Amino acid sequence: MTADTPETRFSISNNSSHLYQDHFSYILEYKNGTQADGFFDLELLKKSLNILVRKHYKPVAGWFQARNNGIDVVYYSDKFNDPPISTQTLDINYETLSRHVHDSNVELLVPAASSTEITFEDNDIPMIMVKVTYLESNEAVVLGISYHHSLMDGTSFWTFMANWSALCKHLYEHGDTAEFGIPHSPTFEFPDISHFHNPSKKFEHPEYILVDPDQYHTKLQPGPEKIVETILEVSVEQQHSLRQQARDIGVSFTELLCAVMWKGINGLRLDLDPEIGSGLSFYTCILNSRTRTGVSNNVCASPVINTPCERTVAEVAALEVCDIAQLVHEAIGKCTGEYLSSSFRYLHKQFIQELDNTRNSRVGKKLMCAFTCSAPVKCVIASSRTFPIYSTDFGFGTPEYVHPPYLPYDGFVRIWPTPMYDARSSNAPLHVYVSQPEHVDLSLSPLLAQFLKRNID
């Protein structure tokens, strides 16, 4: 890159984006019910992605760059780090392919990056990668898509997917983009929220921990035990019942569902090891901070905030679900604009210190999200139930099934829509993916067994 290359840059250090230096992936399964030729034509996918990135999402064809004052996304008008698209064609039937999708076979179906950590050295880290899996029988196509979490979070990823699929569908049906405008015009760089700053208020930030360099990691660690993923299914009737209970105690449906998950997991782990009663039971809700700062969902960023709540294992076991729901409600409720501004200021100050330590070869503490710490019980919950996941139509119909990011880490819980689910009406079952060590049997929890459907090893 020469000095006279026209460039644009923006910082990802004024919020929490730089904390998430990893690729997250989704697997989308599309069935070719009519055995139509040209199903997910590769050239069409490439052309639509190229147009979308070059015209509307230029930072996606850019680079991360570590600087003295933080990390920037930099992109150019004449040099592009275009998202790579790889392909494979498998000689298996649709049922076998679908099983690979449901089993989250990321090694087979998802592209992998050689590097994800942003350093001072030049790294051509792809912002988005795509792998298209075709079948010899032409029965189905699977899209495996990975995105770098420091550029975008789940909200902005699914906005990107809505735009890409709409553009591809337009190309498929009309053959050009002359009069086509994407549904959601993106903007870049999380805006300054310092106007929320209140110097008279001092906040603790238990969502972060400081560790020695030898304990620091940018990726989640798998731990010593094999983790299995269990899918729970919350029926329409169960959702209606939970909604009524939530209204009765003044919390949201999601907060009550989180409380059920936390208490259920906590009880299982205590039954397995009664000695952990005095140990920490650590709950975290992963939140989209946009809704609390008035920032549009069209902003392509990853300003995730993690709201923790800590009690001993014995305390959580003694509480009723409605009491735990109040704890969850209080933890989420403290994430006001003032709190988020304080959190991001604290993050930025610590991050600049870390960059300075690295540049000058000094040893110093490093910051990580608190939910990465070890604890006898962890329950880390992310809800994606309002995302337009099953509206992703590239011109060949909507997906049969979409698998959320596979997170084989103890305590992760993902609330996930099913194909017909509508968050506003609860008109279809809702899935909850729970990651626990292999020896933890969720069927032994009365709270969780009512939702139990099947396991994925």
Side-chain angles (χ1 to χ4, degrees):
M1 300 175 200
T2 60
D4 59 351
T5 302
E7 71 171 38
T8 305
R9 64 174 61 241
F10 62 88
S11 174
I12 62 168
S13 302
N14 66 341
N15 59 86
S16 58
S17 294
H18 64 273
L19 282 179
Y20 307 104
Q21 296 183 27
D22 203 356
H23 282 95
F24 277 39
S25 59
Y26 295 89
I27 307 174
L28 294 80
E29 172 191 318
Y30 292 86
K31 187 175 182 180
N32 187 4
T34 63
Q35 301 285 291
D37 292 333
F39 191 70
F40 276 86
D41 177 75
L42 181 59
E43 292 308 310
L44 178 65
L45 288 175
K46 287 181 175 179
K47 181 178 180 181
S48 57
L49 181 59
N50 181 269
I51 292 172
L52 180 70
V53 169
R54 296 288 183 93
K55 187 174 181 180
H56 302 285
Y57 278 89
K58 294 179 182 178
V60 172
W63 289 261
F64 293 115
Q65 188 177 96
R67 292 155 60 89
N68 292 342
N69 61 345
I71 294 176
D72 289 349
V73 172
V74 56
Y75 55 99
Y76 300 84
S77 61
D78 59 352
K79 294 180 182 294
F80 305 97
N81 184 23
D82 287 324
I85 297 185
S86 59
T87 66
Q88 62 180 346
T89 302
L90 303 178
D91 188 12
I92 57 176
N93 61 26
Y94 170 65
E95 289 72 22
T96 302
L97 178 67
S98 185
R99 188 162 60 249
H100 283 302
V101 175
H102 283 74
D103 289 353
S104 194
N105 190 339
V106 293
E107 290 80 12
L108 178 67
L109 301 173
V110 172
S114 59
S115 176
T116 63
E117 184 176 355
I118 304 165
T119 68
F120 279 105
E121 292 76 32
D122 287 335
N123 276 326
D124 287 344
I125 301 173
M127 303 292 188
I128 285 180
M129 302 176 293
V130 181
K131 187 173 186 178
V132 188
T133 299
Y134 297 96
L135 294 182
E136 292 280 3
S137 63
N138 196 28
E139 294 177 271
V141 164
V142 166
L143 300 181
I145 305 174
S146 293
Y147 67 95
H148 200 288
H149 213 312
S150 286
L151 179 69
M152 59 178 68
D153 61 359
T155 299
S156 43
F157 171 78
W158 285 106
T159 300
F160 175 90
M161 290 297 292
N163 284 327
W164 181 20
S165 59
L167 177 56
C168 185
K169 184 176 183 179
H170 179 86
L171 281 173
Y172 177 68
E173 294 175 346
H174 302 286
D176 63 68
T177 60
E179 298 182 3
F180 181 76
I182 58 174
H184 312 282
S185 297
T187 58
F188 303 93
E189 184 174 16
F190 195 74
D192 180 16
I193 62 168
S194 60
H195 57 281
F196 286 112
H197 179 57
N198 185 346
S200 68
K201 287 191 176 181
K202 304 296 181 184
F203 296 98
E204 298 294 327
H205 290 291
E207 64 267 31
Y208 309 121
I209 55 173
L210 292 172
V211 300
D212 293 327
D214 61 347
Q215 298 176 300
Y216 173 75
H217 47 83
T218 58
K219 294 184 178 182
L220 295 165
Q221 302 300 299
E225 298 183 88
K226 180 183 177 182
I227 303 296
V228 298
E229 186 178 66
T230 306
I231 300 178
L232 306 181
E233 185 170 288
V234 187
S235 70
V236 173
E237 294 76 16
Q238 289 169 329
Q239 290 175 64
H240 289 321
S241 176
L242 286 169
R243 286 186 184 279
Q244 183 58 57
Q245 294 175 53
R247 284 192 290 269
D248 291 344
I249 61 175
V251 301
S252 72
F253 164 78
T254 300
E255 288 166 343
L256 183 58
L257 184 57
C258 289
V260 171
M261 294 298 121
W262 186 13
K263 184 170 176 63
I265 291 169
N266 185 89
L268 279 175
R269 302 302 284 267
L270 181 59
D271 289 343
L272 285 169
D273 185 2
E275 299 298 319
I276 66 172
S278 61
L280 181 66
S281 185
F282 192 83
Y283 166 85
T284 302
C285 186
I286 300 176
L287 294 177
N288 172 3
S289 67
R290 295 175 178 85
T291 57
R292 288 157 177 78
T293 54
V295 175
S296 168
N297 282 340
N298 289 347
V299 175
C300 189
S302 186
V304 173
I305 189 76
N306 306 296
T307 60
C309 184
E310 301 178 12
R311 291 294 187 275
T312 67
V313 177
E315 286 173 334
V316 174
L319 291 171
E320 298 294 332
V321 169
C322 61
D323 298 319
I324 297 173
Q326 292 293 343
L327 294 177
V328 173
H329 177 75
E330 291 167 9
I332 293 174
K334 76 178 182 180
C335 277
T336 61
E338 289 181 345
Y339 186 88
L340 287 163
S341 177
S342 172
S343 178
F344 291 168
R345 287 167 69 91
Y346 171 75
L347 265 183
H348 187 257
K349 180 180 178 181
Q350 177 61 31
F351 188 55
I352 296 303
Q353 181 62 59
E354 291 178 18
L355 288 173
D356 188 62
N357 289 342
T358 300
R359 193 171 55 255
N360 293 287
S361 301
R362 289 195 302 264
V363 176
K365 294 284 188 179
K366 296 180 76 68
L367 181 142
M368 296 194 310
C369 292
F371 68 73
T372 61
C373 69
S374 60
V377 175
K378 288 201 297 184
C379 183
V380 182
I381 298 185
S383 176
S384 304
R385 67 186 186 88
T386 61
F387 291 170
I389 294 164
Y390 285 98
S391 301
T392 314
D393 181 359
F394 286 80
F396 308 97
T398 55
E400 291 286 308
Y401 176 71
V402 180
H403 199 291
Y406 178 52
L407 298 172
Y409 310 106
D410 187 3
F412 262 87
V413 178
R414 283 141 299 150
I415 302 172
W416 193 252
T418 52
M420 299 303 294
Y421 181 80
D422 184 334
R424 294 167 295 183
S425 59
S426 299
N427 61 335
L430 185 66
H431 281 166
V432 182
Y433 290 71
V434 181
S435 295
Q436 287 286 299
E438 188 174 27
H439 69 274
V440 178
D441 184 355
L442 270 61
S443 69
L444 299 179
S445 166
L447 277 174
L448 303 182
Q450 61 181 318
F451 308 121
L452 190 60
K453 290 299 179 183
R454 62 190 180 87
N455 283 348
I456 296 179
D457 290 342

